[in-house]
Amino acid sequence: MAQAWKCSGLRWSADGPVLAWDGGRRSALTWGKRVAFGVAEGGVRTCVGARGHACPTAAAVSGRSTGARCEECARLDRAHSVAADTIADDPRPYHVYLAWFGPGMVKVGITAEERGSARLLEQGAVCFSWLGVGPLMAARRTEELLRAALGVPDRIPYVEKRAVRAALPEAAADRAAEVAELHARAVALPAWPESLVREPLLVVDHVEVFGLSGLPVAVGEVGELVAGGVVSGELVAAAGPDLHLATGATGGGVVVLDTRLMSGWGLVPAAGAELTVPVKEFKEEAGVQDGLF
């Protein structure tokens, strides 16, 4: 029987996306590479634990969960989280940023300065610009100010991001326009915390990094992995946690795999070249909102 591997997620390096595996092994992903793996027969998806610690009960978790954690481990994971506002004394400086995912999809967020642009790559931001940098609580207050004053959300669902990736404006200037307009309005607001330093507009574009230029419209997305199932396809693009794979599924076309669905499973080399896990077909063309499924 082939050795089963546990995937710990998609990571973004200076050279592009890589799949990380428990034990430290990494698999570089390049455009045109065949991504193929199977789920061990009779396997059960188990909780990945919290903050570097294994789940004490190795609890079974749903195949559709992107977090791959049981309720108790999910609670522990968020108990020491910037996103959950449970850390107020983090001494590190934080960036406030504007991220653009497609027309009408701009969000505001914060990330530790030491992480650079990693958070933006992990979210699948097509382009972004820094707004300011300063202490954590000042960055958080600025984020809340922009949400209230400009109506900019702090989250955009992945289903909406995926829907527009194949229909983005071709020109980088057009992709940057909304970020530039909101940046100008944001830095002009008078109520910024004094300890947060405003930063000039500098839009970073990830279209080439993600391989989105000329991206074919996706016909569906993997709904979940199942014991004995196979994922197989040629990598045509990657953004955030998503791999866009050219497959023979649903009559041929590109299928999106959210790599977060891989965590918690024992994965083995694929025996076949067909995609045999459940796929949700998209019923509307990319770019059409509120009617994906």
Side-chain angles (χ1 to χ4, degrees), residues 70-121:
C70 66
E71 289 186 10
E72 180 63 15
C73 286
R75 184 188 66 78
L76 291 172
D77 191 62
R78 289 185 63 81
H80 191 71
S81 165
V82 170
D85 278 336
T86 57
I87 302 175
D89 57 353
D90 188 335
R92 298 175 298 171
Y94 275 77
H95 265 131
V96 184
Y97 62 81
L98 287 170
W100 184 88
F101 301 90
M105 296 184 194
V106 183
K107 65 156 280 186
V108 60
I110 67 172
T111 184
E113 183 184 31
E114 65 187 31
R115 296 205 69 211
S117 62
R119 180 66 180 144
L120 287 305
L121 292 165

Side-chain angles (χ1 to χ4, degrees), residues 271-283:
E274 295 297 319
L275 188 150
T276 63
V277 296
V279 173
K280 295 180 184 177
E281 293 187 39
F282 295 156
K283 292 183 170 58

Side-chain angles (χ1 to χ4, degrees), residues 18-168:
V18 296
L19 281 175
W21 305 89
D22 289 2
R25 178 188 171 200
R26 293 196 165 203
S27 302
L29 299 173
T30 54
W31 313 142
K33 179 175 182 175
R34 176 155 292 276
V35 175
F37 62 86
V39 182
E41 289 281 358
V44 175
R45 192 184 192 199
T46 55
C47 175
V48 296
R51 313 200 67 79
H53 300 285
C55 177
T57 62
V61 293
S62 167
R64 298 181 181 180
S65 166
T66 54
R69 289 186 174 92
C70 66
E71 289 186 10
E72 180 63 15
C73 286
R75 184 188 66 78
L76 291 172
D77 191 62
R78 289 185 63 81
H80 191 71
S81 165
V82 170
D85 278 336
T86 57
I87 302 175
D89 57 353
D90 188 335
R92 298 175 298 171
Y94 275 77
H95 265 131
V96 184
Y97 62 81
L98 287 170
W100 184 88
F101 301 90
M105 296 184 194
V106 183
K107 65 156 280 186
V108 60
I110 67 172
T111 184
E113 183 184 31
E114 65 187 31
R115 296 205 69 211
S117 62
R119 180 66 180 144
L120 287 305
L121 292 165
E122 291 166 358
Q123 294 182 68
V126 177
C127 62
F128 78 94
S129 177
W130 303 126
L131 275 169
V133 63
L136 171 60
M137 296 314 294
R140 181 64 83 196
R141 287 196 298 273
T142 304
E143 180 186 38
E144 294 172 354
L145 168 67
L146 299 183
R147 288 170 55 194
L150 303 181
V152 183
D154 63 351
R155 290 181 185 169
I156 294 177
Y158 275 104
V159 66
E160 296 180 16
K161 300 175 188 179
R162 293 171 189 139
V164 299
R165 285 186 190 138
L168 298 172

